[in-house]
Short mmCIF file of all heavy atoms in Angstrom, two decimals:
data_model
loop_
_atom_site.label_atom_id
_atom_site.label_comp_id
_atom_site.label_asym_id
_atom_site.label_seq_id
_atom_site.Cartn_x
_atom_site.Cartn_y
_atom_site.Cartn_z
N LEU V 396 88.41 105.43 104.78
CA LEU V 396 86.96 105.21 104.91
C LEU V 396 86.50 104.08 104.02
O LEU V 396 85.59 103.31 104.40
CB LEU V 396 86.21 106.49 104.58
CG LEU V 396 86.27 107.61 105.62
CD1 LEU V 396 85.59 108.87 105.10
CD2 LEU V 396 85.64 107.17 106.94
N ALA V 397 87.10 103.96 102.84
CA ALA V 397 86.74 102.85 101.94
C ALA V 397 87.07 101.52 102.61
O ALA V 397 86.26 100.58 102.59
CB ALA V 397 87.49 102.99 100.62
N GLY V 398 88.26 101.44 103.20
CA GLY V 398 88.62 100.22 103.92
C GLY V 398 87.70 99.97 105.10
O GLY V 398 87.26 98.82 105.32
N GLY V 399 87.36 101.02 105.84
CA GLY V 399 86.47 100.87 106.98
C GLY V 399 85.07 100.46 106.58
O GLY V 399 84.41 99.69 107.28
N LEU V 400 84.59 100.98 105.43
CA LEU V 400 83.25 100.63 104.96
C LEU V 400 83.17 99.15 104.60
O LEU V 400 82.20 98.46 104.96
CB LEU V 400 82.87 101.48 103.75
CG LEU V 400 81.49 101.21 103.14
CD1 LEU V 400 80.38 101.49 104.16
CD2 LEU V 400 81.28 102.06 101.89
N VAL V 401 84.20 98.66 103.94
CA VAL V 401 84.22 97.23 103.60
C VAL V 401 84.29 96.40 104.87
O VAL V 401 83.62 95.36 104.99
CB VAL V 401 85.42 96.92 102.67
CG1 VAL V 401 85.54 95.42 102.43
CG2 VAL V 401 85.27 97.65 101.34
N MET V 402 85.10 96.85 105.84
CA MET V 402 85.18 96.12 107.10
C MET V 402 83.83 96.08 107.81
O MET V 402 83.51 95.09 108.47
CB MET V 402 86.21 96.74 108.03
CG MET V 402 86.49 95.89 109.26
SD MET V 402 87.20 96.76 110.65
CE MET V 402 88.83 97.09 110.01
N LEU V 403 83.05 97.14 107.68
CA LEU V 403 81.75 97.19 108.34
C LEU V 403 80.86 96.03 107.90
O LEU V 403 80.12 95.46 108.71
CB LEU V 403 81.06 98.53 108.06
CG LEU V 403 79.69 98.74 108.70
CD1 LEU V 403 79.79 98.64 110.22
CD2 LEU V 403 79.12 100.10 108.29
N PHE V 404 80.92 95.67 106.62
CA PHE V 404 80.16 94.52 106.15
C PHE V 404 80.63 93.25 106.85
O PHE V 404 79.83 92.37 107.19
CB PHE V 404 80.30 94.38 104.63
CG PHE V 404 79.57 95.43 103.84
CD1 PHE V 404 80.24 96.48 103.27
CD2 PHE V 404 78.19 95.35 103.69
CE1 PHE V 404 79.57 97.45 102.55
CE2 PHE V 404 77.50 96.32 102.97
CZ PHE V 404 78.19 97.38 102.40
N GLY V 405 81.95 93.16 107.06
CA GLY V 405 82.48 92.00 107.77
C GLY V 405 82.02 91.96 109.22
O GLY V 405 81.67 90.89 109.74
N VAL V 406 82.01 93.12 109.88
CA VAL V 406 81.56 93.20 111.27
C VAL V 406 80.09 92.77 111.37
O VAL V 406 79.71 91.98 112.25
CB VAL V 406 81.73 94.64 111.81
CG1 VAL V 406 81.11 94.77 113.20
CG2 VAL V 406 83.21 95.01 111.87
N ALA V 407 79.27 93.29 110.45
CA ALA V 407 77.85 92.93 110.47
C ALA V 407 77.66 91.44 110.17
O ALA V 407 76.80 90.78 110.77
CB ALA V 407 77.09 93.77 109.43
N GLY V 408 78.51 90.92 109.28
CA GLY V 408 78.38 89.51 108.91
C GLY V 408 78.68 88.56 110.05
O GLY V 408 77.92 87.61 110.30
N VAL V 409 79.78 88.81 110.76
CA VAL V 409 80.12 87.88 111.86
C VAL V 409 79.12 88.02 113.00
O VAL V 409 78.80 87.03 113.67
CB VAL V 409 81.56 88.12 112.36
CG1 VAL V 409 82.58 87.74 111.32
CG2 VAL V 409 81.77 89.56 112.81
N TRP V 410 78.59 89.23 113.22
CA TRP V 410 77.58 89.38 114.28
C TRP V 410 76.31 88.61 113.90
O TRP V 410 75.69 87.95 114.75
CB TRP V 410 77.24 90.85 114.49
CG TRP V 410 76.16 91.02 115.52
CD1 TRP V 410 76.31 91.06 116.88
CD2 TRP V 410 74.75 91.14 115.28
NE1 TRP V 410 75.10 91.19 117.50
CE2 TRP V 410 74.11 91.25 116.54
CE3 TRP V 410 73.97 91.18 114.13
CZ2 TRP V 410 72.74 91.38 116.66
CZ3 TRP V 410 72.60 91.30 114.25
CH2 TRP V 410 71.99 91.41 115.51
N ALA V 411 75.93 88.69 112.62
CA ALA V 411 74.73 87.98 112.17
C ALA V 411 74.87 86.48 112.38
O ALA V 411 73.90 85.78 112.74
CB ALA V 411 74.46 88.29 110.70
N LEU V 412 76.08 85.97 112.19
CA LEU V 412 76.30 84.54 112.40
C LEU V 412 76.12 84.16 113.87
O LEU V 412 75.55 83.12 114.19
CB LEU V 412 77.70 84.15 111.92
CG LEU V 412 77.93 84.19 110.40
CD1 LEU V 412 79.39 83.90 110.07
CD2 LEU V 412 77.02 83.19 109.70
N THR V 413 76.63 85.01 114.77
CA THR V 413 76.45 84.71 116.20
C THR V 413 74.98 84.86 116.59
O THR V 413 74.48 84.08 117.41
CB THR V 413 77.30 85.64 117.08
OG1 THR V 413 76.89 87.02 116.90
CG2 THR V 413 78.78 85.53 116.73
N ALA V 414 74.30 85.85 116.02
CA ALA V 414 72.88 86.02 116.32
C ALA V 414 72.08 84.83 115.83
O ALA V 414 71.14 84.36 116.49
CB ALA V 414 72.36 87.32 115.70
N GLY V 415 72.44 84.33 114.65
CA GLY V 415 71.74 83.18 114.11
C GLY V 415 71.93 81.94 114.95
O GLY V 415 71.08 81.04 114.96
N ALA V 416 73.06 81.90 115.67
CA ALA V 416 73.34 80.76 116.54
C ALA V 416 72.63 80.88 117.88
O ALA V 416 72.70 79.97 118.71
CB ALA V 416 74.84 80.62 116.76
N GLY V 417 71.94 82.01 118.10
CA GLY V 417 71.15 82.17 119.32
C GLY V 417 71.74 83.08 120.37
O GLY V 417 71.04 83.50 121.28
N GLU V 418 73.04 83.39 120.28
CA GLU V 418 73.68 84.27 121.25
C GLU V 418 74.50 85.33 120.53
O GLU V 418 75.68 85.12 120.26
CB GLU V 418 74.59 83.46 122.20
CG GLU V 418 73.82 82.57 123.15
CD GLU V 418 74.74 81.99 124.22
OE1 GLU V 418 75.72 82.66 124.59
OE2 GLU V 418 74.47 80.87 124.67
N PRO V 419 73.89 86.49 120.21
CA PRO V 419 74.63 87.55 119.51
C PRO V 419 75.80 88.05 120.37
O PRO V 419 75.65 88.27 121.57
CB PRO V 419 73.58 88.64 119.30
CG PRO V 419 72.53 88.38 120.33
CD PRO V 419 72.51 86.89 120.52
N SER V 420 76.94 88.22 119.75
CA SER V 420 78.12 88.65 120.50
C SER V 420 79.14 89.26 119.54
O SER V 420 79.25 88.87 118.38
CB SER V 420 78.76 87.47 121.23
OG SER V 420 79.96 87.86 121.87
N PHE V 421 79.88 90.25 120.06
CA PHE V 421 81.01 90.84 119.33
C PHE V 421 82.34 90.45 119.98
O PHE V 421 83.40 90.87 119.49
CB PHE V 421 80.90 92.37 119.31
CG PHE V 421 79.87 92.89 118.36
CD1 PHE V 421 78.65 93.35 118.81
CD2 PHE V 421 80.13 92.93 117.00
CE1 PHE V 421 77.70 93.85 117.93
CE2 PHE V 421 79.19 93.42 116.10
CZ PHE V 421 77.97 93.89 116.57
N LEU V 422 82.32 89.68 121.05
CA LEU V 422 83.56 89.30 121.72
C LEU V 422 84.42 88.44 120.79
O LEU V 422 83.92 87.48 120.19
CB LEU V 422 83.26 88.54 123.01
CG LEU V 422 82.65 89.36 124.15
CD1 LEU V 422 82.28 88.44 125.31
CD2 LEU V 422 83.63 90.43 124.62
N LEU V 423 85.69 88.78 120.68
CA LEU V 423 86.56 88.03 119.78
C LEU V 423 86.69 86.58 120.20
O LEU V 423 86.85 85.69 119.35
CB LEU V 423 87.95 88.69 119.74
CG LEU V 423 88.00 90.09 119.10
CD1 LEU V 423 89.42 90.65 119.13
CD2 LEU V 423 87.48 90.06 117.67
N THR V 424 86.61 86.30 121.48
CA THR V 424 86.68 84.91 121.94
C THR V 424 85.49 84.11 121.43
O THR V 424 85.62 82.93 121.10
CB THR V 424 86.73 84.86 123.47
OG1 THR V 424 85.66 85.65 124.02
CG2 THR V 424 88.06 85.39 123.98
N ASP V 425 84.31 84.75 121.37
CA ASP V 425 83.13 84.06 120.84
C ASP V 425 83.23 83.90 119.33
O ASP V 425 82.86 82.86 118.77
CB ASP V 425 81.86 84.84 121.19
CG ASP V 425 81.56 84.82 122.68
OD1 ASP V 425 82.05 83.90 123.37
OD2 ASP V 425 80.86 85.74 123.16
N LEU V 426 83.74 84.93 118.66
CA LEU V 426 83.85 84.86 117.20
C LEU V 426 84.85 83.79 116.77
O LEU V 426 84.67 83.15 115.73
CB LEU V 426 84.27 86.22 116.65
CG LEU V 426 83.34 87.41 116.96
CD1 LEU V 426 83.85 88.67 116.30
CD2 LEU V 426 81.92 87.11 116.51
N ALA V 427 85.90 83.61 117.55
CA ALA V 427 86.91 82.61 117.21
C ALA V 427 86.36 81.20 117.28
O ALA V 427 86.94 80.28 116.68
CB ALA V 427 88.12 82.75 118.13
N ARG V 428 85.24 81.01 117.98
CA ARG V 428 84.65 79.67 118.11
C ARG V 428 83.60 79.40 117.03
O ARG V 428 83.03 78.31 116.97
CB ARG V 428 84.00 79.51 119.49
CG ARG V 428 85.02 79.42 120.63
CD ARG V 428 84.36 78.92 121.90
NE ARG V 428 83.44 79.90 122.45
CZ ARG V 428 83.75 80.79 123.39
NH1 ARG V 428 84.98 80.82 123.88
NH2 ARG V 428 82.85 81.64 123.85
N LEU V 429 83.34 80.38 116.17
CA LEU V 429 82.36 80.19 115.11
C LEU V 429 82.83 79.13 114.12
O LEU V 429 84.01 79.03 113.80
CB LEU V 429 82.13 81.51 114.36
CG LEU V 429 81.31 82.59 115.06
CD1 LEU V 429 81.31 83.86 114.23
CD2 LEU V 429 79.87 82.11 115.30
N ASP V 430 81.89 78.36 113.63
CA ASP V 430 82.19 77.37 112.60
C ASP V 430 81.93 78.02 111.25
O ASP V 430 80.82 77.98 110.72
CB ASP V 430 81.31 76.13 112.79
CG ASP V 430 81.64 75.04 111.79
OD1 ASP V 430 82.72 75.12 111.16
OD2 ASP V 430 80.81 74.13 111.61
N LEU V 431 82.96 78.66 110.70
CA LEU V 431 82.82 79.39 109.45
C LEU V 431 83.13 78.47 108.28
O LEU V 431 84.26 78.01 108.13
CB LEU V 431 83.75 80.61 109.44
CG LEU V 431 83.49 81.65 110.53
CD1 LEU V 431 84.61 82.67 110.58
CD2 LEU V 431 82.16 82.34 110.28
N ASP V 432 82.10 78.21 107.44
CA ASP V 432 82.35 77.34 106.30
C ASP V 432 83.19 78.08 105.26
O ASP V 432 83.43 79.28 105.35
CB ASP V 432 81.03 76.85 105.69
CG ASP V 432 80.15 77.99 105.20
OD1 ASP V 432 80.66 78.88 104.49
OD2 ASP V 432 78.95 77.99 105.53
N SER V 433 83.66 77.37 104.27
CA SER V 433 84.59 77.94 103.30
C SER V 433 83.98 79.06 102.47
O SER V 433 84.70 79.89 101.93
CB SER V 433 85.10 76.84 102.36
OG SER V 433 84.00 76.23 101.67
N GLY V 434 82.65 79.12 102.38
CA GLY V 434 82.02 80.17 101.58
C GLY V 434 81.94 81.50 102.31
O GLY V 434 82.66 82.44 102.01
N ILE V 435 81.08 81.57 103.34
CA ILE V 435 80.87 82.83 104.04
C ILE V 435 82.13 83.28 104.78
O ILE V 435 82.44 84.47 104.85
CB ILE V 435 79.68 82.71 105.02
CG1 ILE V 435 79.34 84.07 105.64
CG2 ILE V 435 79.98 81.67 106.11
CD1 ILE V 435 78.85 85.08 104.64
N GLY V 436 82.87 82.33 105.33
CA GLY V 436 84.08 82.69 106.05
C GLY V 436 85.10 83.39 105.17
O GLY V 436 85.76 84.33 105.59
N ARG V 437 85.23 82.93 103.95
CA ARG V 437 86.20 83.54 103.03
C ARG V 437 85.78 84.95 102.62
O ARG V 437 86.62 85.85 102.50
CB ARG V 437 86.39 82.64 101.81
CG ARG V 437 87.09 81.33 102.16
CD ARG V 437 87.20 80.40 100.96
NE ARG V 437 87.86 79.15 101.34
CZ ARG V 437 88.11 78.15 100.50
NH1 ARG V 437 87.74 78.25 99.22
NH2 ARG V 437 88.72 77.06 100.92
N TRP V 438 84.49 85.15 102.40
CA TRP V 438 84.03 86.49 102.05
C TRP V 438 84.23 87.46 103.20
O TRP V 438 84.64 88.61 103.00
CB TRP V 438 82.55 86.44 101.65
CG TRP V 438 82.33 85.98 100.25
CD1 TRP V 438 81.80 84.79 99.84
CD2 TRP V 438 82.66 86.70 99.05
NE1 TRP V 438 81.77 84.71 98.48
CE2 TRP V 438 82.29 85.87 97.96
CE3 TRP V 438 83.21 87.95 98.79
CZ2 TRP V 438 82.45 86.26 96.63
CZ3 TRP V 438 83.39 88.34 97.47
CH2 TRP V 438 83.02 87.51 96.40
N LEU V 439 83.95 87.01 104.41
CA LEU V 439 84.15 87.88 105.57
C LEU V 439 85.64 88.16 105.78
O LEU V 439 86.03 89.28 106.11
CB LEU V 439 83.55 87.21 106.81
CG LEU V 439 82.03 87.07 106.81
CD1 LEU V 439 81.58 86.26 108.03
CD2 LEU V 439 81.35 88.43 106.80
N PHE V 440 86.48 87.16 105.57
CA PHE V 440 87.92 87.36 105.66
C PHE V 440 88.37 88.44 104.69
O PHE V 440 89.16 89.33 105.06
CB PHE V 440 88.65 86.05 105.36
CG PHE V 440 90.12 86.22 105.10
CD1 PHE V 440 91.04 86.19 106.15
CD2 PHE V 440 90.60 86.41 103.81
CE1 PHE V 440 92.39 86.35 105.92
CE2 PHE V 440 91.96 86.57 103.57
CZ PHE V 440 92.85 86.54 104.62
N VAL V 441 87.90 88.39 103.47
CA VAL V 441 88.30 89.37 102.45
C VAL V 441 87.91 90.78 102.90
O VAL V 441 88.67 91.74 102.69
CB VAL V 441 87.65 89.03 101.09
CG1 VAL V 441 87.84 90.19 100.11
CG2 VAL V 441 88.27 87.76 100.53
N ALA V 442 86.74 90.91 103.51
CA ALA V 442 86.29 92.24 103.96
C ALA V 442 87.26 92.82 104.99
O ALA V 442 87.63 94.00 104.91
CB ALA V 442 84.89 92.13 104.55
N PHE V 443 87.66 92.01 105.94
CA PHE V 443 88.60 92.49 106.96
C PHE V 443 90.00 92.68 106.38
O PHE V 443 90.66 93.69 106.66
CB PHE V 443 88.66 91.51 108.15
CG PHE V 443 87.47 91.59 109.04
CD1 PHE V 443 86.43 90.68 108.94
CD2 PHE V 443 87.38 92.58 110.01
CE1 PHE V 443 85.33 90.75 109.77
CE2 PHE V 443 86.29 92.66 110.86
CZ PHE V 443 85.26 91.75 110.73
#
């Protein structure tokens, strides 16, 4: 559950990025096209 809780922050983070881009999505194909800068991308990576 501790691992899952940390992952939840990552899930919410990547969704927020897609929503901010105008098209909210959880599809992995859409997430793979995100332009994740070295800051936020690294924090989200650590969560997963």
Side-chain angles (χ1 to χ4, degrees):
L396 287 175
L400 179 61
V401 174
M402 189 201 290
L403 181 59
F404 288 103
V406 173
V409 292
W410 178 84
L412 291 175
T413 62
E418 291 190 31
S420 175
F421 285 103
L422 290 174
L423 293 179
T424 51
D425 292 337
L426 301 183
R428 290 194 291 266
L429 286 174
D430 183 16
L431 298 170
D432 60 48
S433 59
I435 187 65
R437 292 176 181 181
W438 280 110
L439 294 174
F440 166 88
V441 169
F443 284 99

